[in-house]
Amino acid sequence: MFKGELYLGAGGGSLFSKVDFVPGVPLAFKQGSFGGVSAKYISEKNLGLLVEINYAQRGWKEEFDPASDFSYSRTLNYIDIPFMTHIYAGGKTRFIMNIGPQVSLLVGDKQDMSQALSDHLDELRAEDEDVEVGMQYEGVYELKRVDYGLAAGIGMELKTGIGDFDLEGRYYFGLGDIFTSRRSEQAYFSRSASRVIGVKLTYYIKVF
């Protein structure tokens, strides 16, 4: 009979994020960091449940003509709570896979816009106050406070005498939109969902 095992841990890592805008916006991945605490319960051989609470710096960075002085990035700070099925194979060195839903709460955001871009937008709006430009920028639409999607990761676990070390590559696919969608209300974007790639190292100690 398999005896259940409970592990508590803490960890963090780097991430690269962007937002899938429709209509499209030229973007590059924005680098950030994330980290927090974890609880892992192994309920049976090769299978368990993983729950985390992480603080994550997500958002997007826009691409412009290098000849211009335009630049823009927006940092979205979230509390991420993934609930994932944990699958593993091996002994002291294990292959691991985690997959499941994630709910996120927006706790802060910051906009960084160059003065050249700000002046350009002011000029365009002065010429035509109804022109639809910069709809993704602060002050146009309010950000939604709750995000949700699917998280999945694969990696390796090393079990040692001082604890376990999990190194994992993870991908988050947002199912919700960060802005109100025109599919449900009158708005500009029909899609504004987060995409995040990350690498995380977590240290676990066994409780029982």
Side-chain angles (χ1 to χ4, degrees), residues 98-148:
N98 301 312
I99 185 168
Q102 175 176 299
V103 177
S104 303
L105 177 65
L106 181 68
V107 294
D109 72 284
K110 179 183 178 183
Q111 174 177 257
D112 291 303
M113 178 186 292
S114 66
Q115 189 61 49
L117 178 57
S118 178
D119 293 342
H120 178 66
L121 292 172
D122 289 342
E123 291 173 4
L124 292 176
R125 290 164 180 161
E127 293 173 1
D128 181 1
E129 62 181 17
D130 295 323
V131 66
E132 292 185 325
V133 295
M135 307 303 286
Q136 69 275 27
Y137 299 146
E138 186 177 30
V140 181
Y141 290 123
E142 184 177 352
L143 291 163
K144 290 189 174 181
R145 311 310 295 181
V146 177
D147 186 35
Y148 59 93

Side-chain angles (χ1 to χ4, degrees), residues 156-178:
M156 300 296 295
E157 178 180 76
L158 179 63
K159 301 183 76 66
T160 73
I162 61 171
D164 299 349
F165 296 87
D166 287 18
L167 180 62
E168 177 190 1
R170 188 173 295 180
Y171 180 69
Y172 172 72
F173 182 84
L175 296 176
D177 295 309
I178 65 170

